[in-house]
Amino acid sequence: MVRTSYRDRLTSPLPGPRELARILREGGFRGSTANADRIPVLRTGLPALEPGQASWTWIGHSSYLVRLGGATVLADPVWSRKIPGVPPRLTPPGLAWADLPPVDAVVISHDHYDHLDAPTIRRLPRHTPVLVGAGLGRWFRRRGFTEVVELDWWESAEVAGLRFDFAPAHHWSRRGPLDTCASLWGSWVLTAPDGTRTYHCGDSGYGHWFAEIGARYPGIEVAMMPIGAYDPRWFMRPVHMEPAEAVRAVADLGARRLASMHWGTFVLTREPVDEPLERLHKAWSASGRPDADLWALAVGETRTFRPGRSPGRSSPPAGA
């Protein structure tokens, strides 16, 4: 039997009319874009990889291009200039669509418009393997995709030589007015044949799932973590982390490196658009972790490493 609701997976109750009315009384969600020119951009193309290397390229918002174990994976790809309900993007996609290498798999964390972008998805070949949470496969099949894998939390699949595990997140799902929590949200653990492991958080508040994910999937090299869309905290805390919580979550995961995302692209909430990066640097410094393990990437920046060696940059840091 196909489930029609995943509300029982919610960590916290969703906001109701009273909370939404309070937000409107307090001025809504839009933050200042006065310092948008401080968002670092390094749009220099995709560097070639040496044999055995892996790489992570921040496209913007929660979109990453990951090259791991000889495969190329797109996570939550959004190339659109505009998504429903929010102003146009502040920074361009970090990589031109025409410069994308062949994509071996796409992973989608959940169905919110800033993570599942229909115009971008339409640009993909229909034979591209797509991995999604339970209940979301129909959206892709209706659009002609022929290799769609739906997973529940803690389930896995092998595609393009990689293992994909779908893990929990403290979030929710909704595409339209009548489908709240009709599909399952989550995060992704990718593991290469040589054991190199990376994590894409998707979208999440801070909570107990991170420690359990770390226990089940030890040895995460790079955790792609959301650091923005957190203000006001009384409203956003259950579903969006602020930077200090993202640093704490990386420790819970047992991950070596934090690669930042979910900021600097769309104005979703009240914090100034450049604030997440500033607060991330402060939180990382306070944690006492090595500076080299914080990948506060510029839009379009790539970091590479070969397992067992120190990571490299695509070029000198650009304000990050």
Side-chain angles (χ1 to χ4, degrees), residues 22-272:
R22 177 180 169 185
I23 282 286
L24 293 176
R25 288 197 306 270
E26 293 178 355
F29 288 106
R30 300 291 176 258
S32 171
T33 61
N35 292 329
D37 58 346
R38 297 181 60 186
I39 301 168
V41 177
L42 189 64
R43 204 168 186 260
T44 55
L46 196 63
L49 291 185
E50 299 176 3
Q53 281 188 321
S55 76
W56 289 255
T57 303
W58 187 37
I59 305 301
H61 201 56
S62 294
S63 305
Y64 262 88
L65 178 73
V66 179
R67 293 179 290 175
L68 181 68
T72 298
V73 179
L74 273 179
D76 286 0
V78 178
W79 259 258
S80 290
R81 177 178 174 272
K82 181 81 168 60
I83 60 173
V86 299
R89 65 191 302 151
L90 299 169
T91 49
L95 188 68
W97 186 266
D99 293 338
L100 274 177
V103 174
D104 296 297
V106 173
V107 295
I108 302 294
S109 62
H110 64 296
D111 67 357
H112 289 162
Y113 286 98
D114 57 325
H115 296 258
L116 174 55
D117 179 52
T120 299
I121 296 300
R122 282 198 296 267
R123 302 173 81 170
L124 292 165
R126 294 305 185 267
H127 63 268
T128 306
V130 180
L131 297 99
V132 300
L136 192 51
R138 181 184 177 191
W139 190 94
F140 286 88
R141 294 187 188 99
R142 290 177 64 183
R143 286 158 177 80
F145 285 85
T146 58
E147 296 186 48
V148 182
V149 179
E150 288 185 69
L151 298 177
D152 203 327
W153 289 350
W154 310 124
E155 291 184 340
S156 66
E158 283 201 16
V159 177
L162 302 179
R163 172 171 164 154
F164 294 81
D165 287 85
F166 194 50
H170 300 276
H171 206 59
W172 64 300
S173 68
R174 185 174 68 188
R175 193 79 181 165
L178 302 177
D179 63 353
T180 300
C181 298
S183 62
L184 187 59
W185 56 94
S187 57
W188 290 98
V189 181
L190 282 58
T191 308
D194 65 4
T196 303
R197 180 166 279 164
T198 191
Y199 172 75
H200 187 274
C201 184
D203 216 349
S204 183
Y206 178 75
H208 68 280
W209 286 127
F210 293 108
E212 184 164 349
I213 293 167
R216 286 176 180 250
Y217 309 107
I220 295 171
E221 289 281 357
V222 179
M224 294 163 272
M225 303 297 289
I227 65 166
Y230 49 75
D231 189 38
R233 292 309 289 146
W234 68 265
F235 190 92
M236 290 295 173
R237 186 183 303 276
V239 294
H240 285 168
M241 289 183 286
E242 52 87 27
E245 291 173 326
V247 172
R248 185 178 175 188
V250 166
D252 292 349
L253 288 164
R256 179 175 175 182
R257 305 175 183 90
L258 185 158
S260 56
M261 65 180 189
H262 206 267
W263 79 282
T265 308
F266 298 110
V267 181
L268 302 177
T269 49
R270 280 191 201 153
E271 74 272 7

